[in-house]
Amino acid sequence: MSQNTVVVKILDKEYQVACPPEEQAPLLQAAQYLDRQMRQIRTSGKVIGLERIAVMAALNISHELLSVKNQGAASEQENEALQRITDRIEKTLQHCRQLEIN
């Protein structure tokens, strides 16, 4: 399975993510969704700092995911897509922490 590098922009920062060609569109959608969530949190003014904003967004998205799971059993394909999104969120959070340390 070949990997391409996709550049996603979240809170005006660019991140390069290795991604198979067939997953590029879902990755871009996930990045746009995460960017919107993080912007809403930042705009509220209640959370300060990139890492804290990212953690709050991850918690909100995780809550949404669990709510959807509890409403009914998702298909295996949906579960796999949600797991990929969760994995990317975790990688982005790790990257944000590394940026703040440097």
Side-chain angles (χ1 to χ4, degrees):
M1 184 184 291
S2 68
Q3 298 277 323
N4 291 344
T5 300
V6 178
V7 177
V8 297
K9 197 170 185 179
I10 300 170
L11 282 185
D12 302 321
K13 292 188 179 200
E14 290 186 349
Y15 301 93
Q16 293 183 358
V17 181
C19 179
E22 65 274 9
E23 292 184 22
Q24 286 182 8
L27 170 62
L28 293 171
Q29 288 177 328
Q32 289 171 350
Y33 185 74
L34 177 59
D35 181 64
R36 283 192 306 271
Q37 294 294 314
M38 290 179 70
R39 286 180 186 281
Q40 287 176 353
I41 292 167
R42 183 179 66 181
T43 301
S44 76
K46 296 178 182 176
V47 180
I48 299 172
L50 182 61
E51 182 176 344
R52 289 176 184 252
I53 291 170
V55 168
M56 291 306 297
L59 285 171
N60 290 341
I61 293 168
S62 296
H63 180 310
E64 291 174 13
L65 169 64
L66 292 174
S67 294
V68 169
K69 279 186 172 183
N70 290 336
Q71 289 177 2
S75 72
E76 185 174 329
Q77 185 178 13
E78 289 170 325
N79 287 334
E80 290 172 1
L82 291 171
Q83 185 60 51
R84 285 192 304 271
I85 291 169
T86 302
D87 292 343
R88 288 201 175 97
I89 289 169
E90 289 174 7
K91 287 178 185 176
T92 301
L93 283 171
Q94 288 173 345
H95 185 72
C96 288
R97 286 187 199 111
Q98 290 174 349
L99 288 176
E100 286 188 350
I101 290 172
N102 295 330

